[in-house]
Amino acid sequence: MSDISHPQPPVPRGVRIGTVEREQAAAALAEHFAAGRLETDEFDARVRQAYLAKTAADLTPLFADLPDEQRFAPEPDRVRRDPGREAAALRTLVFVVAVLAAILWVALVRVPPLVFLPIVWLVLARRGFGRRSCRAW
């Protein structure tokens, strides 16, 4: 569901409004209507009043008995990305694809997948590279 934001009247409240503010009010009323908070007749009357409004103070009564969705909406959870976890998932995906490719190679070509040996060797060599010290030899 989208956020419903009631048009906030500028200060002072007697300032005239334009078409943009009237359309924002009508859109907010449409969201409330879609949420089942307004009946058809009531929605029509409020939209008519919104388009006839001349000042910001004229829009305020249209939302007096309707909740402001921003107050009740839970704050969206921030997604924290873990590069290590993403890299592990990518390695797993590459491994699964390589195994499936090898199986398909053997099934269709009927030749052992010797082409994949250098790739596996490079991957294993890269994983071990830099983890051992010279003293361990």
Side-chain angles (χ1 to χ4, degrees):
M1 182 163 123
S2 64
D3 292 334
I4 301 173
S5 60
H6 298 188
Q8 298 298 321
V11 179
R13 295 168 59 93
V15 173
R16 293 182 70 90
I17 59 171
T19 305
V20 172
E21 291 85 5
R22 290 183 193 100
E23 288 179 356
Q24 287 175 349
L29 288 169
E31 291 286 333
H32 285 291
F33 177 69
R37 295 185 190 101
L38 296 172
E39 295 177 0
T40 306
D41 298 336
E42 192 175 16
F43 170 70
D44 291 339
R46 289 186 190 209
V47 169
R48 194 174 307 114
Q49 289 174 356
Y51 280 112
L52 293 174
K54 296 196 186 292
T55 64
D58 296 338
L59 293 177
T60 304
L62 302 177
F63 297 97
D65 60 342
L66 296 173
D68 186 8
E69 286 296 317
Q70 291 177 346
R71 287 184 296 183
F72 300 113
E75 185 150 338
D77 294 334
R78 301 213 182 243
V79 178
R80 293 186 181 174
R81 298 181 75 183
D82 184 9
R85 189 176 211 174
E86 290 177 0
L90 182 62
R91 279 193 302 264
T92 304
L93 178 66
V94 168
F95 177 74
V96 168
V97 168
V99 168
L100 290 175
I103 292 171
L104 283 173
W105 180 280
V106 170
L108 297 176
V109 181
R110 306 226 187 250
V111 176
L114 300 177
V115 145
F116 292 114
L117 288 178
I119 296 171
V120 171
W121 179 75
L122 288 173
V123 169
L124 292 177
R126 188 167 186 231
R127 281 186 123 189
F129 183 73
R131 292 190 181 171
R132 296 180 186 160
S133 67
C134 294
R135 295 180 185 174
W137 290 5

